[in-house]
Coordinates of all heavy atoms in Angstrom, one line a residue:
M1 N 113.2 57.0 71.3 CA 113.5 57.8 72.5 C 113.2 59.3 72.3 O 112.8 60.0 73.2 CB 115.0 57.5 72.8 CG 115.5 58.2 74.0 SD 115.2 57.1 75.4 CE 116.2 57.9 76.6
A2 N 113.6 59.9 71.2 CA 113.4 61.2 70.9 C 111.9 61.5 70.8 O 111.5 62.6 71.2 CB 114.1 61.7 69.6
E3 N 111.0 60.6 70.4 CA 109.7 60.9 70.4 C 109.1 61.0 71.7 O 108.2 61.9 72.1 CB 109.0 59.8 69.5 CG 109.2 59.8 68.2 CD 108.4 58.7 67.4 OE1 107.6 58.0 68.0 OE2 108.8 58.3 66.3
S4 N 109.5 60.2 72.8 CA 109.0 60.2 74.0 C 109.4 61.5 74.7 O 108.8 62.0 75.6 CB 109.4 59.0 74.9 OG 110.8 58.9 75.0
D5 N 110.7 62.0 74.5 CA 111.2 63.2 75.0 C 110.4 64.5 74.5 O 110.1 65.4 75.2 CB 112.7 63.5 74.8 CG 113.5 62.6 75.5 OD1 113.0 62.0 76.5 OD2 114.7 62.3 75.1
A6 N 110.0 64.4 73.3 CA 109.1 65.5 72.6 C 107.7 65.5 73.2 O 107.1 66.6 73.3 CB 109.1 65.3 71.2
K7 N 107.2 64.3 73.5 CA 105.8 64.3 74.1 C 105.7 64.7 75.6 O 104.7 65.3 76.0 CB 105.2 62.9 74.1 CG 104.8 62.6 72.6 CD 104.3 61.1 72.6 CE 104.0 60.6 71.1 NZ 103.5 59.2 71.1
Q8 N 106.8 64.6 76.3 CA 106.7 64.8 77.7 C 106.5 66.4 78.1 O 105.5 66.6 79.0 CB 108.0 64.5 78.5 CG 108.1 64.4 79.9 CD 109.4 63.9 80.4 OE1 110.2 63.6 79.8 NE2 109.2 63.6 81.6
P9 N 107.0 67.3 77.6 CA 106.7 68.7 77.7 C 105.2 69.0 77.5 O 104.5 69.7 78.2 CB 107.6 69.6 76.8 CG 108.7 68.7 76.7 CD 108.2 67.3 76.6
T10 N 104.6 68.5 76.5 CA 103.3 68.8 76.2 C 102.3 68.1 77.1 O 101.4 68.7 77.5 CB 103.0 68.2 74.7 OG1 103.9 68.7 73.8 CG2 101.6 68.5 74.3
E11 N 102.6 66.9 77.6 CA 101.9 66.4 78.6 C 101.9 67.2 79.9 O 100.9 67.3 80.6 CB 102.3 64.9 78.9 CG 101.9 64.0 77.6 CD 102.6 62.6 77.9 OE1 103.1 62.4 78.9 OE2 102.4 61.8 77.0
T12 N 103.0 67.6 80.3 CA 103.2 68.4 81.4 C 102.5 69.7 81.3 O 101.8 70.2 82.4 CB 104.7 68.7 81.7 OG1 105.5 67.5 81.7 CG2 105.0 69.6 82.9
V13 N 102.5 70.4 80.2 CA 101.6 71.7 80.1 C 100.2 71.2 80.2 O 99.5 72.0 80.9 CB 102.0 72.3 78.7 CG1 101.0 73.4 78.4 CG2 103.4 72.7 78.7
Q14 N 99.8 70.2 79.7 CA 98.3 69.9 79.7 C 98.0 69.6 81.2 O 96.9 70.1 81.7 CB 98.0 68.7 78.8 CG 98.0 69.1 77.4 CD 97.8 67.7 76.5 OE1 97.9 66.6 77.0 NE2 97.5 68.0 75.3
E15 N 98.8 69.0 82.0 CA 98.5 68.7 83.3 C 98.5 70.0 84.1 O 97.7 70.2 85.0 CB 99.5 67.7 83.9 CG 99.4 66.3 83.4 CD 100.5 65.3 83.9 OE1 101.3 65.7 84.7 OE2 100.6 64.2 83.4
D16 N 99.5 70.9 83.8 CA 99.5 72.1 84.5 C 98.1 72.9 84.3 O 97.7 73.6 85.2 CB 100.7 72.9 84.2 CG 102.1 72.4 84.8 OD1 102.0 71.5 85.8 OD2 103.1 72.7 84.2
G17 N 97.7 72.9 83.0 CA 96.5 73.5 82.7 C 95.4 73.1 83.5 O 94.5 73.9 83.9
K18 N 95.2 71.6 83.6 CA 94.2 71.1 84.5 C 94.2 71.6 85.9 O 93.2 72.0 86.5 CB 94.1 69.7 84.3 CG 93.8 69.1 83.0 CD 93.8 67.6 83.0 CE 93.5 67.1 81.6 NZ 93.5 65.6 81.5
R19 N 95.6 71.6 86.4 CA 95.7 72.0 87.9 C 95.2 73.5 88.0 O 94.7 73.9 89.0 CB 97.1 71.8 88.3 CG 97.5 70.4 88.5 CD 98.9 70.3 88.9 NE 99.3 68.9 88.8 CZ 100.5 68.4 88.7 NH1 101.6 69.4 88.6 NH2 100.8 67.3 88.6
L20 N 95.7 74.3 87.0 CA 95.4 75.8 87.2 C 93.9 75.9 87.2 O 93.3 76.8 87.8 CB 96.0 76.6 86.1 CG 97.5 76.6 86.2 CD1 98.1 77.4 84.9 CD2 98.0 77.4 87.5
K21 N 93.1 75.2 86.3 CA 91.7 75.4 86.4 C 91.0 75.0 87.8 O 90.2 75.6 88.2 CB 91.1 74.6 85.2 CG 91.3 75.0 83.9 CD 90.6 74.1 82.8 CE 91.0 74.6 81.5 NZ 90.4 73.7 80.4
Y22 N 91.6 74.1 88.2 CA 91.2 73.4 89.5 C 91.4 74.5 90.6 O 90.6 74.9 91.5 CB 91.7 72.2 89.9 CG 91.5 71.7 91.4 CD1 90.1 71.1 91.6 CD2 92.4 71.7 92.3 CE1 89.8 70.8 92.9 CE2 92.1 71.3 93.5 CZ 90.8 70.9 93.9 OH 90.6 70.5 95.0
L23 N 92.7 75.1 90.5 CA 93.0 76.1 91.6 C 92.2 77.4 91.4 O 91.9 78.1 92.5 CB 94.5 76.5 91.4 CG 95.5 75.4 91.9 CD1 96.9 75.7 91.6 CD2 95.3 74.9 93.3
D24 N 91.9 77.8 90.1 CA 90.9 78.9 90.0 C 89.6 78.6 90.7 O 89.0 79.6 91.4 CB 90.7 79.3 88.5 CG 92.0 79.8 87.9 OD1 92.9 80.3 88.6 OD2 92.0 79.8 86.7
F25 N 89.0 77.5 90.6 CA 87.8 77.2 91.1 C 88.0 77.2 92.6 O 87.0 77.7 93.4 CB 87.4 75.8 90.9 CG 86.1 75.2 91.5 CD1 84.9 75.8 91.4 CD2 86.4 74.3 92.6 CE1 83.9 75.3 92.0 CE2 85.3 73.8 93.3 CZ 84.0 74.2 93.0
V26 N 89.1 76.7 93.2 CA 89.2 76.7 94.6 C 89.3 78.2 95.1 O 88.7 78.5 96.2 CB 90.4 75.9 95.1 CG1 90.7 76.1 96.5 CG2 90.2 74.3 94.7
Q27 N 90.1 78.9 94.4 CA 90.3 80.3 94.9 C 89.0 81.1 94.8 O 88.7 81.8 95.8 CB 91.2 81.0 93.9 CG 91.6 82.5 94.3 CD 92.5 83.0 93.3 OE1 92.9 82.6 92.3 NE2 93.2 84.2 93.7
A28 N 88.2 80.9 93.8 CA 86.9 81.6 93.6 C 85.9 81.1 94.8 O 85.2 81.8 95.5 CB 86.2 81.3 92.3
A29 N 86.1 79.9 95.3 CA 85.2 79.2 96.3 C 85.7 79.9 97.7 O 84.8 80.2 98.4 CB 85.2 77.7 96.4
V30 N 86.9 80.0 97.7 CA 87.4 80.5 99.1 C 86.9 82.0 99.3 O 86.6 82.4 100.3 CB 89.0 80.4 99.2 CG1 89.6 81.1 100.2 CG2 89.3 78.8 99.4
I31 N 87.1 82.7 98.1 CA 86.7 84.1 98.3 C 85.2 84.3 98.5 O 84.9 85.2 99.4 CB 87.1 84.9 97.0 CG1 88.6 85.0 96.7 CG2 86.5 86.3 96.9 CD1 89.2 85.4 95.4
Y32 N 84.5 83.5 97.9 CA 83.0 83.5 98.2 C 82.7 83.1 99.6 O 81.9 83.8 100.3 CB 82.3 82.4 97.3 CG 80.9 82.3 97.5 CD1 80.1 83.3 96.9 CD2 80.3 81.3 98.2 CE1 78.6 83.3 97.0 CE2 78.9 81.3 98.4 CZ 78.0 82.2 97.8 OH 76.7 82.2 98.0
V33 N 83.4 82.2 100.1 CA 83.0 81.7 101.6 C 83.4 82.9 102.5 O 82.9 83.2 103.5 CB 83.9 80.5 101.8 CG1 83.8 80.2 103.4 CG2 83.2 79.3 101.2
I34 N 84.7 83.6 102.2 CA 85.1 84.7 103.1 C 84.2 85.7 103.1 O 83.9 86.3 104.2 CB 86.5 85.0 102.5 CG1 87.6 83.9 103.0 CG2 86.9 86.4 103.3 CD1 89.0 84.2 102.5
V35 N 83.7 86.3 101.9 CA 82.8 87.2 101.8 C 81.5 87.0 102.6 O 81.0 87.8 103.3 CB 82.5 87.7 100.3 CG1 81.3 88.5 100.1 CG2 83.7 88.1 99.7
R36 N 81.0 85.7 102.3 CA 79.7 85.4 103.0 C 79.8 85.3 104.6 O 79.1 85.8 105.4 CB 79.2 84.1 102.6 CG 78.7 84.1 101.1 CD 77.6 85.0 101.0 NE 77.0 85.0 99.6 CZ 76.2 85.7 99.3 NH1 75.5 86.6 100.0 NH2 75.7 85.7 98.0
F37 N 81.0 84.8 105.0 CA 81.2 84.8 106.4 C 81.5 86.1 107.0 O 81.0 86.3 108.2 CB 82.6 83.9 106.7 CG 82.9 83.7 108.2 CD1 82.2 83.0 108.9 CD2 83.9 84.6 108.8 CE1 82.4 82.8 110.4 CE2 84.1 84.4 110.1 CZ 83.4 83.7 110.9
S38 N 82.2 87.1 106.4 CA 82.3 88.4 106.9 C 80.9 89.1 107.1 O 80.8 89.9 107.9 CB 83.3 89.0 106.1 OG 82.9 89.4 104.8
T39 N 80.1 88.8 106.0 CA 78.8 89.5 106.0 C 77.9 89.1 107.1 O 77.3 89.8 108.0 CB 78.0 89.2 104.6 OG1 78.9 89.7 103.5 CG2 76.7 89.9 104.6
L40 N 78.0 87.7 107.3 CA 77.3 87.1 108.4 C 77.9 87.5 109.8 O 77.0 87.9 110.7 CB 77.4 85.5 108.5 CG 76.8 84.9 109.5 CD1 75.2 85.0 109.6 CD2 77.0 83.4 109.4
Y41 N 79.1 87.6 109.9 CA 79.8 88.1 111.2 C 79.4 89.5 111.5 O 79.1 89.8 112.5 CB 81.3 87.9 111.0 CG 82.0 88.5 112.3 CD1 82.1 87.7 113.4 CD2 82.7 89.7 112.2 CE1 82.7 88.2 114.6 CE2 83.3 90.3 113.3 CZ 83.4 89.6 114.5 OH 84.0 90.0 115.6
E42 N 79.4 90.4 110.4 CA 79.0 91.8 110.8 C 77.6 91.8 111.1 O 77.1 92.7 112.1 CB 79.2 92.5 109.5 CG 80.7 93.0 109.2 CD 81.3 93.8 110.2 OE1 80.7 94.7 110.8 OE2 82.4 93.5 110.6
Y43 N 76.6 91.0 110.6 CA 75.3 91.1 111.0 C 75.2 90.6 112.5 O 74.3 91.3 113.3 CB 74.6 90.1 110.1 CG 73.0 90.0 110.5 CD1 72.1 90.9 110.1 CD2 72.6 88.8 111.1 CE1 70.8 90.8 110.6 CE2 71.2 88.7 111.6 CZ 70.5 89.7 111.3 OH 69.1 89.6 111.7
V44 N 75.7 89.5 112.8 CA 75.7 88.9 114.1 C 76.3 90.0 115.0 O 75.7 90.2 116.3 CB 76.3 87.6 114.3 CG1 76.6 87.2 115.7 CG2 75.6 86.6 113.5
K45 N 77.4 90.5 114.8 CA 78.0 91.6 115.6 C 77.2 92.7 116.0 O 77.0 93.3 117.1 CB 79.2 92.1 115.0 CG 80.2 92.8 116.0 CD 81.6 93.1 115.5 CE 81.6 94.3 114.7 NZ 83.0 94.7 114.3
E46 N 76.4 93.3 115.0 CA 75.6 94.4 115.2 C 74.3 94.1 115.9 O 73.8 94.9 116.6 CB 75.2 95.0 113.9 CG 76.4 95.8 113.1 CD 76.9 96.9 113.8 OE1 76.1 97.6 114.3 OE2 78.1 97.0 113.8
N47 N 73.7 92.8 115.8 CA 72.7 92.5 116.5 C 72.8 91.5 117.7 O 72.0 90.7 118.0 CB 71.8 91.8 115.5 CG 71.3 92.6 114.2 OD1 70.9 93.8 114.5 ND2 71.5 92.1 113.1
S48 N 74.0 91.7 118.4 CA 74.4 90.8 119.5 C 73.6 91.2 120.8 O 73.6 90.5 121.8 CB 75.8 90.7 119.6 OG 76.3 92.0 119.9
G49 N 73.2 92.5 120.8 CA 72.4 93.0 121.9 C 73.4 93.1 123.2 O 74.4 93.7 123.1
P50 N 72.9 92.4 124.3 CA 73.6 92.5 125.4 C 75.1 91.9 125.6 O 75.9 92.1 126.4 CB 72.7 92.0 126.6 CG 71.8 91.1 125.8 CD 71.7 91.8 124.4
L51 N 75.2 91.1 124.6 CA 76.5 90.4 124.4 C 77.5 91.1 123.6 O 78.6 90.7 123.4 CB 76.4 89.0 123.7 CG 75.3 88.1 124.4 CD1 75.2 86.8 123.6 CD2 75.9 87.6 125.8
K52 N 77.2 92.3 123.2 CA 78.1 93.1 122.4 C 79.6 93.2 123.0 O 80.4 93.1 122.2 CB 77.6 94.4 122.0 CG 78.2 95.2 120.9 CD 77.5 96.4 120.5 CE 76.5 96.0 119.4 NZ 76.1 97.0 118.6
S53 N 79.5 93.6 124.3 CA 81.0 93.7 124.9 C 81.8 92.4 124.8 O 83.0 92.4 124.6 CB 80.9 94.2 126.3 OG 80.1 93.2 127.2
G54 N 81.1 91.3 125.0 CA 81.9 90.0 124.9 C 82.3 89.8 123.5 O 83.4 89.2 123.4
V55 N 81.4 90.1 122.5 CA 81.8 89.9 121.0 C 83.0 90.8 120.7 O 83.9 90.3 120.0 CB 80.6 90.2 120.2 CG1 81.1 90.2 118.7 CG2 79.5 89.2 120.4
Q56 N 83.1 92.1 121.4 CA 84.3 92.9 121.1 C 85.5 92.4 121.8 O 86.6 92.4 121.1 CB 83.8 94.3 121.6 CG 82.8 94.9 120.6 CD 82.4 96.3 121.2 OE1 82.7 96.6 122.3 NE2 81.7 97.0 120.3
T57 N 85.3 91.8 123.0 CA 86.4 91.2 123.6 C 87.1 90.1 122.7 O 88.3 90.0 122.6 CB 86.1 90.7 125.0 OG1 85.7 91.9 125.6 CG2 87.3 90.2 125.7
V58 N 86.2 89.1 122.4 CA 86.7 88.0 121.5 C 87.3 88.5 120.3 O 88.3 88.0 119.8 CB 85.5 87.1 121.4 CG1 85.8 86.0 120.2 CG2 85.0 86.4 122.6
Q59 N 86.6 89.5 119.6 CA 87.2 90.0 118.4 C 88.5 90.6 118.6 O 89.4 90.4 117.7 CB 86.3 91.1 117.8 CG 86.7 91.7 116.5 CD 85.8 92.9 116.0 OE1 84.9 93.2 116.6 NE2 86.0 93.2 114.7
G60 N 88.8 91.3 119.5 CA 90.1 91.9 119.9 C 91.2 90.7 120.1 O 92.3 90.9 119.6
T61 N 90.8 89.7 120.9 CA 91.7 88.6 121.1 C 92.0 87.9 119.7 O 93.2 87.5 119.5 CB 91.1 87.5 122.1 OG1 90.7 88.2 123.2 CG2 91.9 86.4 122.4
V62 N 91.0 87.6 118.9 CA 91.3 86.9 117.6 C 92.1 87.8 116.8 O 93.1 87.3 116.1 CB 89.9 86.6 116.9 CG1 90.2 86.2 115.5 CG2 89.2 85.6 117.8
K63 N 92.0 89.1 116.7 CA 92.9 90.0 116.0 C 94.3 89.9 116.4 O 95.2 89.9 115.7 CB 92.3 91.4 116.1 CG 91.1 91.8 115.1 CD 90.7 93.1 115.2 CE 89.6 93.4 114.3 NZ 89.2 94.9 114.3
A64 N 94.4 90.0 117.7 CA 95.8 89.9 118.3 C 96.4 88.5 117.8 O 97.6 88.5 117.5 CB 95.6 89.9 119.7
V65 N 95.8 87.5 117.8 CA 96.3 86.2 117.5 C 96.8 86.1 116.1 O 97.8 85.8 115.8 CB 95.3 85.0 117.9 CG1 95.7 83.7 117.3 CG2 95.2 84.9 119.4
F66 N 95.8 86.7 115.2 CA 96.1 86.6 113.9 C 97.3 87.6 113.4 O 98.1 87.3 112.5 CB 94.9 87.1 113.0 CG 94.0 86.0 112.6 CD1 92.8 85.6 113.4 CD2 94.4 84.9 111.6 CE1 92.1 84.5 113.2 CE2 93.7 83.8 111.3 CZ 92.4 83.8 112.1
R67 N 97.5 88.6 114.3 CA 98.6 89.6 114.1 C 99.8 88.9 114.3 O 100.9 88.9 113.7 CB 98.4 90.8 114.7 CG 97.6 91.9 114.3 CD 97.8 93.2 115.1 NE 96.5 93.8 115.0 CZ 95.7 94.1 116.0 NH1 96.0 93.8 117.3 NH2 94.6 94.7 115.8
C68 N 99.9 88.0 115.4 CA 101.1 87.2 115.8 C 101.3 86.1 114.8 O 102.5 86.0 114.3 CB 100.9 86.6 117.2 SG 100.9 87.8 118.6
L69 N 100.2 85.6 114.4 CA 100.5 84.5 113.3 C 101.0 85.1 111.9 O 101.9 84.5 111.4 CB 99.2 83.8 112.9 CG 98.7 82.8 114.1 CD1 97.4 82.2 113.7 CD2 99.7 81.8 114.4
K70 N 100.5 86.2 111.6 CA 101.0 87.0 110.5 C 102.5 87.3 110.7 O 103.4 87.1 109.7 CB 100.3 88.2 110.3 CG 100.7 88.9 109.1 CD 99.8 90.2 108.8 CE 100.3 91.0 107.7 NZ 99.7 92.2 107.6
L71 N 102.9 87.9 111.7 CA 104.3 88.2 112.0 C 105.2 86.9 112.0 O 106.3 87.0 111.5 CB 104.4 88.9 113.4 CG 103.9 90.3 113.5 CD1 104.1 90.8 114.9 CD2 104.7 91.1 112.5
V72 N 104.8 85.8 112.5 CA 105.6 84.5 112.6 C 105.6 84.1 111.1 O 106.7 83.7 110.7 CB 104.9 83.5 113.5 CG1 105.5 82.1 113.3 CG2 104.9 83.8 115.0
F73 N 104.6 84.1 110.4 CA 104.7 83.6 109.0 C 105.5 84.6 108.1 O 106.5 83.9 107.3 CB 103.2 83.7 108.3 CG 103.1 83.2 106.9 CD1 103.4 81.9 106.6 CD2 102.9 84.1 105.9 CE1 103.3 81.4 105.4 CE2 102.9 83.7 104.6 CZ 103.1 82.3 104.3
V74 N 105.4 85.8 108.3 CA 106.3 86.7 107.5 C 107.8 86.6 107.9 O 108.7 86.5 107.1 CB 105.8 88.1 107.7 CG1 107.0 89.1 107.1 CG2 104.5 88.4 107.0
F75 N 108.1 86.4 109.3 CA 109.4 86.1 109.8 C 109.9 84.8 109.2 O 111.2 84.8 108.8 CB 109.4 86.1 111.2 CG 110.8 85.9 111.8 CD1 111.7 87.0 111.8 CD2 111.1 84.7 112.4 CE1 113.0 86.7 112.4 CE2 112.3 84.5 113.0 CZ 113.2 85.5 112.9
S76 N 109.1 83.9 109.2 CA 109.6 82.5 108.7 C 109.9 82.6 107.2 O 110.8 81.9 106.7 CB 108.7 81.4 108.9 OG 107.5 81.6 108.3
L77 N 109.1 83.3 106.4 CA 109.4 83.5 104.9 C 110.7 84.3 104.8 O 111.6 84.0 104.0 CB 108.4 84.2 104.3 CG 107.0 83.4 104.1 CD1 106.1 84.4 103.4 CD2 107.3 82.3 103.3
D78 N 111.0 85.3 105.7 CA 112.2 86.1 105.6 C 113.4 85.2 105.8 O 114.5 85.3 105.2 CB 112.2 87.3 106.5 CG 111.2 88.3 106.0 OD1 111.0 88.3 104.8 OD2 110.9 89.3 106.7
C79 N 113.4 84.4 106.9 CA 114.4 83.5 107.4 C 114.7 82.5 106.2 O 115.9 82.2 105.8 CB 114.1 82.8 108.6 SG 114.2 83.9 110.0
A80 N 113.6 82.0 105.6 CA 113.8 80.9 104.5 C 114.6 81.6 103.3 O 115.3 81.0 102.6 CB 112.5 80.4 104.1
F81 N 114.1 82.9 103.0 CA 114.6 83.5 101.9 C 116.1 83.9 102.1 O 116.9 83.8 101.3 CB 113.9 84.8 101.7 CG 114.4 85.7 100.4 CD1 114.2 85.2 99.2 CD2 115.1 86.9 100.6 CE1 114.6 86.0 98.1 CE2 115.6 87.6 99.5 CZ 115.2 87.0 98.2
F82 N 116.4 84.3 103.3 CA 117.8 84.9 103.5 C 118.8 83.6 104.0 O 120.1 83.9 103.9 CB 117.9 86.0 104.6 CG 117.3 87.2 104.1 CD1 116.2 87.7 104.7 CD2 117.9 87.8 103.0 CE1 115.6 88.9 104.1 CE2 117.3 89.1 102.5 CZ 116.2 89.6 103.1
C83 N 118.3 82.6 104.5 CA 119.1 81.5 104.9 C 119.7 80.7 103.9 O 119.4 80.6 102.8 CB 118.4 80.7 106.0 SG 118.0 81.5 107.5

């Protein structure tokens, strides 16, 4: 019984190490995709020609939605912390 208790923390540490390596890969991939998407977006925005006003309107709407989502997310975290 004592031997199985002694092995359990070691196995947990090894599993956590594997998960962390996987999460590092995912984080790096997400950052790469965000950078590439933003570069592509800037290129399209600059070369949109006669559609530039429509692109700016959509961009303003998307920014407003994300601001609201950010406020809701922060508010929900505050409520979860204080409740």
Side-chain angles (χ1 to χ4, degrees):
M1 181 85 167
E3 290 178 14
S4 64
D5 290 340
K7 290 181 182 179
Q8 191 174 12
T10 305
E11 291 173 2
T12 304
V13 170
Q14 289 174 348
E15 289 175 10
D16 288 344
K18 289 180 184 177
R19 288 183 190 155
L20 290 176
K21 287 181 184 177
Y22 175 73
L23 290 175
D24 287 343
F25 169 75
V26 171
Q27 184 180 14
V30 167
I31 291 170
Y32 179 80
V33 168
I34 289 172
V35 168
R36 292 296 179 184
F37 180 77
S38 64
T39 304
L40 177 65
Y41 177 75
E42 287 296 323
Y43 175 78
V44 169
K45 189 170 96 172
E46 289 299 318
N47 295 314
S48 60
L51 301 175
K52 191 171 271 196
S53 63
V55 171
Q56 290 173 346
T57 302
V58 171
Q59 181 180 9
T61 304
V62 170
K63 282 183 177 181
V65 169
F66 275 102
R67 278 190 213 116
C68 290
L69 290 175
K70 180 181 174 184
L71 289 174
V72 168
F73 181 72
V74 169
F75 180 72
S76 65
L77 287 179
D78 287 344
C79 286
F81 180 72
F82 290 116
C83 292

